[in-house]
Amino acid sequence: MRRCRVLFCLLFALAAARLLGGESASSIHEMLLVLDRTEPTRHHPFALTGSVYQVGGAKRDAGTETVVVIDDGQLLISAFTRVSGLKPGDVIAASGFFGLQKQSYGNEPYVVVQQAKAIGRAPDIRPVPRRLQDLSSQDDNLRLVETSGSVIDYRPDEADPEFLYLILK
């Protein structure tokens, strides 16, 4: 009987490790590398320290969740959380899971912060100066930037019409 329990515990631990994808990512860059080679429905753990860049609300199936943008000093990532009390500028130790969700238009990445603890404050967020030709979809994604150019077209965001897409030249 004891051997059966030990075997069951061992099999359960192996299944949990497979489900969670093994080793925990400790930076957004590591998370992106994992997403490049993962399959939908596979969850991967993360634990990172970063500053809260932005906080907003979102309506999801199970109720209201907070969307938090975390800056780890190099990249920014958007995440869902039910952790309350997070404010822009908080330096947090955050952990949770991430992966890809299958959608009709393809696979969409998701990040869920399950635990977050404020451990300090970051300096005020200021726009990062960028020349138009130096803007990067990876490095500047979600980041507040300052640039200049001529607006040649614009359109409202379909998901949130309060925001506009500007086409600059």
Side-chain angles (χ1 to χ4, degrees):
M1 183 67 161
R2 178 169 160 71
R3 284 186 186 173
C4 287
R5 283 189 204 156
V6 171
L7 181 60
F8 175 77
C9 290
L10 179 62
L11 290 174
F12 181 78
L14 288 172
R18 166 113 173 97
L19 177 66
L20 288 175
E23 197 171 317
S24 183
S26 61
S27 72
I28 296 169
H29 179 74
E30 285 180 17
M31 292 167 74
L32 294 176
L33 291 175
V34 169
L35 288 175
D36 281 345
R37 62 181 195 278
T38 196
E39 316 162 358
T41 70
R42 185 123 186 237
H43 305 298
H44 302 276
F46 75 90
L48 61 84
T49 301
S51 59
V52 175
Y53 196 81
Q54 184 180 6
V55 178
K59 211 58 169 151
R60 299 269 294 203
D61 296 338
T64 302
E65 290 185 330
T66 300
V67 176
V68 60
V69 176
I70 301 170
D71 181 351
D72 73 354
Q74 294 182 357
L75 298 171
L76 284 80
I77 197 161
S78 180
F80 289 104
T81 187
R82 291 187 185 272
V83 176
S84 61
L86 299 177
K87 300 178 291 302
D90 284 347
V91 176
I92 60 171
S95 63
F97 61 91
F98 66 101
L100 293 174
Q101 184 175 17
K102 195 174 273 250
Q103 300 287 350
S104 59
Y105 50 83
N107 297 329
E108 183 176 341
Y110 63 88
V111 179
V112 176
V113 174
Q114 293 177 305
Q115 296 179 0
K117 179 180 179 185
I119 57 175
R121 291 287 298 164
D124 288 342
I125 298 165
R126 302 211 183 281
V128 176
R130 291 279 196 268
R131 294 183 321 173
L132 199 53
Q133 63 268 26
D134 294 336
L135 286 172
S136 163
S137 62
Q138 180 172 322
D139 296 339
D140 296 320
N141 184 37
L142 304 172
R143 191 175 304 281
L144 184 61
V145 297
E146 181 179 310
T147 192
S148 62
S150 299
V151 177
I152 58 172
D153 198 8
Y154 70 94
R155 64 182 164 86
D157 182 358
E158 292 175 12
D160 192 345
E162 290 184 27
F163 292 93
L164 293 175
Y165 287 103
L166 299 177
I167 310 299
L168 301 175
K169 175 174 103 167

